[in-house]
Amino acid sequence: MRAIRHDRLTQILVGASLALVVAVLFPGAWSRPAVATVVQPRIRVSIEGLVVTPGAHELEFGARVSDLVALAGGFLPGAARTLVALAAPLTDGQVVQVPALTSVAHVPRVSLNSATRAQLEELPGVGPATAQRIVEHRPYSRIDDLLRVPGIGPKKLEQLRPLVAP
């Protein structure tokens, strides 16, 4: 009778040891996996140009340009709404430009993303080669992106800034 108890005790100890080994080696075997929650920080984005409240604004991660325009109070009269990509996602530190419909000289602005080579060649200091390079470097999200184009430096950019829009 004592041998039976001893065998039974050995079986219990071996079973408990195996359970402990499995628990250590495979900790998720008896528990459900926890649901991972990712908390995205808020982003800070600046909007400049023809909006009611230009400046820096804080939005939720994943916000779009349309959310920023709404937060800034909307467009002012004379804003080139069609030149603003309202569905574009925002990133922290980004600057969104809302250009005027016409330039200072009341000439319609030329869109860098949709103008033909001939329209671009009408800009001061832009010849056929530069117009072709502007087309090749599309798309542009802001006017400062023209600095990517070979042959356009800061001086030419400032000359073109009032005449073009992204």
Side-chain angles (χ1 to χ4, degrees), residues 49-60:
L50 295 179
V51 291
V52 175
T53 312
H57 298 278
E58 197 168 285
L59 295 108
E60 294 294 325

Side-chain angles (χ1 to χ4, degrees), residues 19-49:
L20 183 61
V21 167
V22 168
V24 170
L25 294 178
F26 306 102
W30 285 291
S31 65
R32 293 184 178 167
V35 176
T37 303
V38 177
V39 178
Q40 293 289 348
R42 293 178 61 84
I43 60 172
R44 196 150 183 82
V45 184
S46 179
I47 186 165
E48 304 299 329

Side-chain angles (χ1 to χ4, degrees), residues 59-130:
L59 295 108
E60 294 294 325
F61 179 83
R64 304 282 174 161
V65 172
S66 60
D67 302 322
L68 177 62
V69 170
L71 190 61
F75 294 110
L76 287 174
R81 298 168 187 241
T82 58
L83 297 177
V84 179
L86 294 173
L90 295 169
T91 58
D92 190 51
Q94 182 177 353
V95 178
V96 175
Q97 295 285 337
V98 179
L101 203 52
T102 59
S103 68
V104 177
H106 300 290
V107 176
R109 290 179 182 256
V110 175
S111 171
L112 296 171
N113 289 318
S114 62
T116 63
R117 282 183 44 205
Q119 290 172 318
L120 292 169
E121 288 176 28
E122 291 176 13
L123 294 169
V126 176
T130 303

